[in-house]
Amino acid sequence: MAELTDDEKESRRRAALAAQEEEAWYAEDEYRQRQAEEEEASNREDAIESMVTWFEEQFEDPQNETPFDSEDGEYVYVFGGPFDAGEVLGDQFSSDYKQEWIEAAVEQLQATGIFEWAPRTGSDYYEHPERDEEHANPSDFSKEEISSRILQRLDDLEARLADLPSAPASIGHNSPPDDVGLPPYDNESRQELEVAIRQTRAEVGKTEPSEPVLAEAESAFRRVGTAIAKWIGAKLDLAVDETIKATVRATAWGTVAAFALGIADDLAALIRHLFSF
C-alpha cells in the first residue's frame, strides 16, 4: 500500500477537523435548543401558576358565598358575575402571555368542575348592592374625606336601623315561608352593629386611632352587611315585601346592607391610609 503524501495527510487532517467542528456545532446547537425548551417550559409553568393564583385571589366557587335560588335552580350573583375564566384571563393577560398558556391556565381552573365563577369579597370584580358610584373606590379619597364620610354614614346607618324590627323572629303570625326565610338580623346582630358604630365614631375622632379596633369594626360591618345583602339577593323582592310588609320593606334591608358595606370599605381604606408603610 502506497504511503500517503504530505498533501493527502493534510487533506485528511483538515477533513477530520472539519467533521469534529461540525459535530461540536450540532451538539452545541442541540444544547441551546434544549436550554431554550427548558426555559420556555419553566416560563410557561410560572405563567400558568401566576395566572391561576391571581384568578383564585379574585374569584371563588359560587357555592361558597353566592345565594342560590332553589326555585329556579341557579345562583343569584348579587355581587357581580358570573365570570368566565377564559374571558377574564384573556382580558387580563393577553398582552403578557401566549394564548396557549392562557388556555392551559383556564383548563387547570376548569378541571375543578367550575365554569361560572363568583367574585371574592373585596376583590377588583366585587360589586356591592346599591353602591353609590361616587363612593365606589374609597382609596381615591384622602384620610380626612374618608373619615368625614364614615361619620356621615354612621349617622345614616343609625337612622335606618331605627326603622328595622329588633328581632325578625318575632314577625307576627305572618311568618315568611321557608324558601323566603327571615332576614339574617337579630338582636345579637343589632347589638354588634351598635357596638361597631360607637367604636368607629370614637376611634375616627382620635388623633391616633387604634388599628385593631378599626379592623374589628370593619369586620362587624362587613359580616352583617354581607349576610343581609346575600339574603336579599337570594329572594325575590316582591315575595319578601309581601311577606314582611307589616314590619319593614325589603328595600330598607338593602339600604342597611349598602351602608354597612360602604362603611366597611371606608374603614379598610382608612386603615391603609393610617397604617400602611
Side-chain angles (χ1 to χ4, degrees):
M1 181 176 182
E3 185 177 350
L4 297 174
T5 66
D6 291 342
D7 288 342
E8 290 173 334
K9 291 179 180 178
E10 179 63 19
S11 177
R12 291 192 177 187
R13 186 187 68 79
R14 291 181 178 178
L17 181 61
Q20 291 176 354
E21 291 177 346
E22 182 178 9
E23 184 179 353
W25 184 89
Y26 277 113
E28 184 178 354
D29 182 64
E30 183 180 353
Y31 173 77
R32 287 195 300 266
Q33 290 183 22
R34 187 168 60 253
Q35 288 290 97
E37 290 172 357
E38 291 176 355
E39 182 178 0
E40 176 82 354
S42 177
N43 291 339
R44 178 182 184 275
E45 183 178 347
D46 290 344
I48 293 173
E49 182 180 358
S50 177
M51 286 186 283
V52 169
T53 298
W54 175 87
F55 188 89
E56 291 178 340
E57 289 174 350
Q58 297 289 333
F59 303 95
E60 65 180 6
D61 186 339
Q63 71 175 354
N64 292 350
E65 295 291 343
T66 304
F68 185 78
D69 190 328
S70 57
E71 182 176 350
D72 293 336
E74 59 185 21
Y75 289 100
V76 182
Y77 293 84
V78 292
F79 305 119
F83 292 92
D84 177 79
E87 293 179 0
V88 173
L89 292 183
D91 291 341
Q92 184 71 20
F93 296 104
S94 60
S95 61
D96 299 322
Y97 300 128
K98 297 179 180 180
Q99 180 62 29
E100 185 272 328
W101 296 2
I102 295 176
E103 292 174 356
V106 172
E107 183 178 353
Q108 182 172 326
L109 288 165
Q110 292 181 342
T112 61
I114 307 171
F115 294 89
E116 293 185 336
W117 299 79
R120 287 189 180 276
T121 302
S123 75
D124 296 337
Y125 295 81
Y126 185 78
E127 300 176 6
H128 290 287
E130 302 183 24
R131 173 76 61 79
D132 294 335
E133 287 297 325
E134 62 178 309
H135 297 155
N137 191 356
S139 296
D140 291 341
F141 297 88
S142 68
K143 168 184 174 296
E144 291 72 20
E145 290 173 322
I146 296 173
S147 298
S148 176
R149 188 168 64 248
I150 288 175
L151 293 174
Q152 179 59 55
R153 280 180 162 175
L154 289 174
D155 293 338
D156 293 336
L157 178 59
E158 279 189 316
R160 297 302 187 278
L161 291 177
D163 296 332
L164 297 183
S166 58
S170 63
I171 298 180
H173 65 280
N174 192 21
S175 299
D178 292 339
D179 60 339
V180 172
L182 292 164
Y185 180 78
D186 53 17
N187 287 332
E188 184 177 347
S189 299
R190 174 185 288 273
Q191 292 170 4
E192 183 177 19
L193 284 183
E194 289 174 347
V195 170
I197 290 172
R198 289 197 301 271
Q199 290 179 333
T200 302
R201 186 174 282 124
E203 289 301 318
V204 169
K206 293 181 179 178
T207 304
E208 297 183 0
S210 166
E211 179 180 6
V213 173
L214 292 178
E216 181 181 1
E218 179 213 346
S219 177
F221 286 120
R222 195 175 303 281
R223 182 167 51 253
V224 176
T226 299
I228 296 175
K230 286 173 58 179
W231 171 75
I232 294 174
K235 319 301 176 186
L236 295 176
D237 281 355
L238 290 178
V240 175
D241 285 345
E242 181 65 24
T243 302
I244 61 174
K245 63 184 179 180
T247 55
V248 59
R249 296 185 63 79
T251 52
W253 295 104
T255 303
V256 168
F259 276 127
L261 291 171
I263 294 172
D265 282 352
D266 283 341
L267 283 171
L270 182 60
I271 291 172
R272 288 194 294 271
H273 273 289
L274 293 174
F275 305 104
S276 295
F277 300 98

